[in-house]
């Protein structure tokens, strides 16, 4: 691919246009709809399964007295601001450390998946003030995903997402790394 300017359009703009055209095809639109249904079903199932853990974390944080949730603004699809909500840092002690290692702080993000602001797999979220350009802006950010966001969007397939979720490929980032 050329990086030179042609009629005012740089490579990034061309990449976005090609990726947008690919994602607009009927087959891709159907696959994206299936991805959304899978996100909702998986998030609901996980929320129900971890409900006792959610109650425990809220109780621990409530006893600590520092508030329960922390919110951070990030850029979502098409560069729109969105709020990521996580539990505050859990209090020390064996239970708190175990819950922290198990990823209990990230459980409120399942609600963000239900709302459609995050997906389980997608390009990483971007912090406000950072460049949110290229094909990555065309897809809903994910909790996990590959290291090269633009290549992920340009080559996106539902099977590729299933492989990432199943752990067959190395996960290069998570939303917790991007939102700290």
């Amino acid at each position: 691919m050329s990086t030179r300017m042609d009629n005012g359009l740089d490579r990034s703009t061309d990449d976005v246009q090609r990726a947008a055209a690919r994602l607009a095809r009927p087959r891709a639109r159907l696959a994206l709809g299936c991805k959304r249904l899978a996100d909702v079903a998986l998030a609901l199932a996980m929320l129900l399964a971890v409900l006792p853990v959610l109650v425990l974390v809220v109780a621990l944080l409530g006893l600590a007295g520092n508030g329960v949730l922390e919110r951070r603004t990030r850029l979502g699809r098409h560069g729109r601001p969105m709020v990521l909500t996580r539990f505050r840092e859990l209090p020390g002690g064996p239970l708190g450390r175990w819950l922290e290692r198990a990823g209990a702080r990230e459980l409120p993000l399942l609600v963000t998946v239900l709302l459609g602001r995050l997906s389980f797999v997608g390009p990483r979220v971007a912090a406000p003030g950072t460049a949110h350009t290229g094909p990555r802006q065309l897809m809903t950010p994910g909790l996990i995903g590959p290291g090269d966001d633009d290549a992920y969007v340009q080559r996106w397939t539902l099977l590729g997402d299933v492989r990432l979720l199943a752990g067959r490929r190395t996960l290069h980032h998570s939303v917790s790394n991007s939102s700290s």
Side-chain angles (χ1 to χ4, degrees), residues 24-60:
R25 294 179 188 150
R27 188 173 178 176
R29 291 177 59 85
L30 178 63
L32 286 168
C34 290
K35 174 181 175 143
R36 178 71 187 123
L37 285 173
D39 280 344
V40 169
L42 188 56
L44 279 173
M46 289 178 74
L47 278 170
L48 289 173
V50 299
L51 191 58
V53 175
L54 286 169
V55 171
L56 177 64
V57 170
V58 169
L60 281 172

Side-chain angles (χ1 to χ4, degrees), residues 7-30:
N7 297 329
L9 298 175
D10 65 4
R11 189 187 87 192
S12 179
T13 304
D14 291 341
D15 290 346
V16 170
Q17 291 172 345
R18 277 193 298 276
R22 185 174 177 275
L23 292 172
R25 294 179 188 150
R27 188 173 178 176
R29 291 177 59 85
L30 178 63

Side-chain angles (χ1 to χ4, degrees), residues 103 110 130 149:
L110 294 173
T130 60
D149 295 319

